[in-house]
Amino acid sequence: MGADGPAGAGGLAGRAGIAALSLPYQVVAAVSLAVVGMFACMHLAMAFLHVAPSNTLTKQHGEAVDDWVFPEFEQNWKLFAPNPLQQNISVHARAEVVGTDGGRRTTGWIDLSGDDGEAIRGNLFPSHVNQNELRRGWDFYVNSHTDANRPNGMRGQLSERYIRRIAMLRLDAHHLGGRIERIQLRSATRGVEAPHWSDEKTDTRPYYRVLPWWTVTAADLPGGVTGGRTEADK
């Protein structure tokens, strides 16, 4: 028995990786690797189906693919061809506020997109709320309205309620010192500046799209508007 011990130990020591483990641990490691491999294959298949042209599988299981991909694993071509981003669009908001003394004032423009940028910058695990909520809400509004800010049917009205609620949630965090009765939004669009090595001249001046004033209702913020009743409650 004494002779067998060193030989057995030497045999294990000469092995590497999973083979160096005892049998129970080898089984656990093998099962774990199989699960990880199956997960990786399934994820790659879902991502492939998401970006692939329409086919029989995507027609039959498109909803399942979208549920898997969005929002964490979204795939698009915005960084590369065919439509690289050439503009920076930021969303601003201002509010008409009634103070505790009954005085009414209008705040300056607050850069809501800038707030999101600050929350993302330097954050290893940025929130999808900061990355996507306001941006997609604004895209939803723009794509469902005319250039004169008139809604195109029911989706237009839905997008107004959605972007209004997003704005109210963001403004509420700024503690404006009173009851918010009306809000106004605008977008500032700037061209992306050409790189220093390029001779291309780019117009980087901001161009604004200003929306009409909206009266705030209790429906624009879960639980009602902080600070008391709203205009709709009069």
Side-chain angles (χ1 to χ4, degrees), residues 7-230:
L12 288 175
R15 299 175 183 177
I18 295 179
L21 301 174
S22 63
L23 181 59
Y25 286 105
Q26 288 182 13
V27 173
V28 171
V31 171
S32 299
L33 289 175
V35 170
V36 172
M38 290 176 60
F39 178 85
C41 291
M42 183 176 69
H43 174 70
L44 290 175
M46 290 291 192
F48 172 78
L49 290 174
H50 177 67
V51 300
S54 179
N55 55 67
T56 302
L57 283 176
T58 55
K59 289 178 181 178
Q60 292 180 350
H61 307 290
E63 185 175 349
V65 172
D66 289 343
D67 289 343
W68 177 267
V69 170
F70 292 112
E72 286 83 3
F73 308 118
E74 179 182 2
Q75 306 289 315
N76 60 59
W77 292 95
K78 290 185 177 180
L79 183 60
F80 304 104
N83 296 313
L85 292 174
Q86 297 181 343
Q87 294 178 325
N88 288 320
I89 301 176
S90 58
V91 180
H92 304 160
R94 63 178 177 177
E96 189 176 277
V97 179
V98 176
T100 55
D101 59 354
R104 187 182 298 268
R105 65 183 179 86
T106 301
T107 68
W109 289 104
I110 299 172
D111 187 354
L112 304 183
S113 298
D115 292 345
D116 283 348
E118 288 298 321
I120 294 170
R121 194 171 293 111
N123 189 342
L124 294 178
F125 302 101
S127 166
H128 276 282
V129 171
N130 297 125
Q131 295 181 79
N132 297 317
E133 183 182 56
L134 179 62
R135 175 179 61 84
R136 287 183 172 176
W138 184 257
D139 287 343
F140 183 23
Y141 177 89
V142 171
N143 292 330
S144 57
H145 281 72
T146 67
D147 292 338
N149 297 317
R150 294 179 179 175
N152 297 324
M154 295 298 293
R155 285 180 59 83
Q157 298 172 13
L158 178 62
S159 70
E160 288 182 9
R161 294 195 298 270
Y162 183 52
I163 194 68
R164 200 158 60 222
R165 175 167 289 196
I166 293 174
M168 282 299 300
L169 286 169
R170 305 301 177 86
L171 290 175
D172 187 56
H174 280 267
H175 306 293
L176 300 179
R179 183 179 69 250
I180 301 175
E181 292 202 342
R182 295 200 303 163
I183 60 173
Q184 187 178 32
L185 301 179
R186 74 177 184 184
S187 64
T189 303
R190 293 179 174 86
V192 175
E193 187 176 2
H196 64 87
W197 44 261
S198 174
D199 294 331
E200 181 182 356
K201 302 298 181 182
T202 306
D203 184 3
T204 58
R205 293 175 298 174
Y207 292 89
Y208 297 102
R209 175 174 180 170
V210 182
L211 307 190
W213 282 94
W214 283 323
T215 299
V216 173
T217 70
D220 294 326
L221 192 64
V225 177
T226 299
R229 62 179 174 79
T230 67

